[in-house]
Amino acid sequence: MIYFVASIVLIGGLGLWVELINYARSTGPGDLTSVRTAVATFFPALIGSTCLQVQIGKFQKQARAVSFLSMLIFAVVGFWLIFDRGLADCTVLAVGTLCSLFSLWFWWVANADNVDLYDDEPPNAATGGEDTGRPLGGDLTEFQA
């Protein structure tokens, strides 16, 4: 969870955070062009890298197909939000926010089984570890039924 918040949300979204801070610090009604661009470029970069991770990782074919299709769709949406200057600011920010949330969720799902990101012991530690063929500790020599 710490890695997700620190690396993906804070550092990965640094361009967005900088533009939001600059907009908040501006006096009067500011221009949202830089915020629009930051929102419209965050989610394609995140979902593109996540989908590439799915493509080269050990995922099922169905997951690879969904990731490739998602990457194409969100790339098109990103280009649309960047280049269509006739869109209202609220439309761009709403669509960009929804796409950003989806890309964060997609990253979370793609990395759910990545043991390198676990805070605690690997999940199989509760079952005795990797080697399930080893003899169990203790004995039953004095056990009476």
Side-chain angles (χ1 to χ4, degrees):
M1 180 70 168
I2 293 170
Y3 179 83
F4 176 74
V5 172
S7 294
I8 305 303
V9 175
L10 294 178
I11 296 172
L14 188 61
L16 177 60
W17 300 121
V18 167
E19 293 305 330
L20 285 173
I21 291 169
N22 287 338
Y23 180 75
R25 295 174 80 192
S26 66
T27 57
D31 183 23
L32 284 172
T33 304
S34 59
V35 176
R36 288 173 56 144
T37 303
V39 169
T41 56
F42 171 69
F43 70 86
L46 179 58
I47 202 158
S49 62
T50 304
C51 290
L52 182 61
Q53 177 184 356
V54 170
Q55 294 297 319
I56 63 176
K58 295 181 180 182
F59 289 86
Q60 296 178 352
K61 288 182 182 180
Q62 296 90 343
R64 290 181 188 173
V66 168
S67 73
F68 185 74
L69 183 62
S70 298
M71 183 174 58
L72 290 177
I73 290 170
F74 282 86
V76 168
V77 171
F79 282 118
W80 171 58
L81 294 179
I82 291 169
F83 291 116
D84 189 355
R85 295 295 179 182
L87 288 173
D89 290 339
C90 62
T91 302
V92 173
L93 296 177
V95 172
T97 301
L98 287 175
C99 291
S100 295
L101 291 173
F102 178 82
S103 67
L104 290 168
W105 173 81
F106 200 88
W107 184 93
W108 188 275
V109 169
N111 287 283
D113 291 333
N114 189 347
V115 294
D116 294 334
L117 301 178
Y118 289 146
D119 290 335
D120 300 325
E121 294 292 319
N124 58 6
T127 61
E130 291 285 337
D131 185 15
T132 57
R134 69 171 195 229
L136 297 174
D139 62 47
L140 298 173
T141 53
E142 297 183 21
F143 179 74
Q144 295 180 11

